[in-house]
Amino acid sequence: MILRNNIKKLVISCTDPNPKIAGTSLKHLENNGVQITKGVLEEKGNELIKVFTKNILTKKPFVTLKYAQSKDFFISKSNQKVQLSNKYSNICCP
């Protein structure tokens, strides 16, 4: 689409982390006269693709775990339901 629409300048934050194809598209664009500026807001760009990067480089999913714990580092009591966070936490699971 970039070449087809005769776009001459391209600004990117970060490159594709996939080692199989990383940089090949950019080289193709440069070879066809597109001026590429790399690394603009790179840290933010990498943050946006961190889930993809984790998966592609390690073959593992990016997992986020959220839980509540008491001030004395417990998350529950044996055989008893304990509410550790706010009232909205139990809306789906009464």
Side-chain angles (χ1 to χ4, degrees):
M1 292 294 294
I2 292 168
L3 295 176
R4 192 177 309 141
N5 288 290
N6 202 28
I7 295 171
K8 295 295 181 190
K9 293 182 181 180
L10 183 66
V11 177
I12 63 168
S13 63
C14 54
T15 57
D16 187 338
N18 186 342
K20 294 180 182 178
I21 60 168
T24 57
S25 297
L26 296 178
K27 287 178 189 169
H28 178 71
L29 292 171
E30 287 177 324
N31 290 340
N32 284 280
V34 178
Q35 177 187 346
I36 300 175
T37 303
K38 302 173 189 173
V40 175
L41 297 173
E42 186 171 15
E43 190 173 313
K44 288 185 179 187
N46 283 322
E47 178 67 22
L48 287 172
I49 64 167
K50 70 182 179 183
V51 173
F52 173 72
T53 301
K54 170 73 173 179
N55 180 262
I56 202 72
L57 296 180
T58 66
K59 306 287 188 258
K60 296 177 183 175
F62 184 92
V63 177
T64 301
L65 173 66
K66 292 179 77 174
Y67 70 95
Q69 71 180 27
S70 63
K71 288 182 181 180
D72 54 357
F73 308 108
F74 289 96
I75 60 172
S76 72
K77 293 183 179 179
S78 295
N79 301 319
Q80 183 181 358
K81 184 175 180 178
V82 176
Q83 184 159 342
L84 295 171
S85 57
N86 61 44
K87 64 182 179 181
Y88 303 106
S89 298
N90 286 334
I91 288 176
C92 71
C93 312

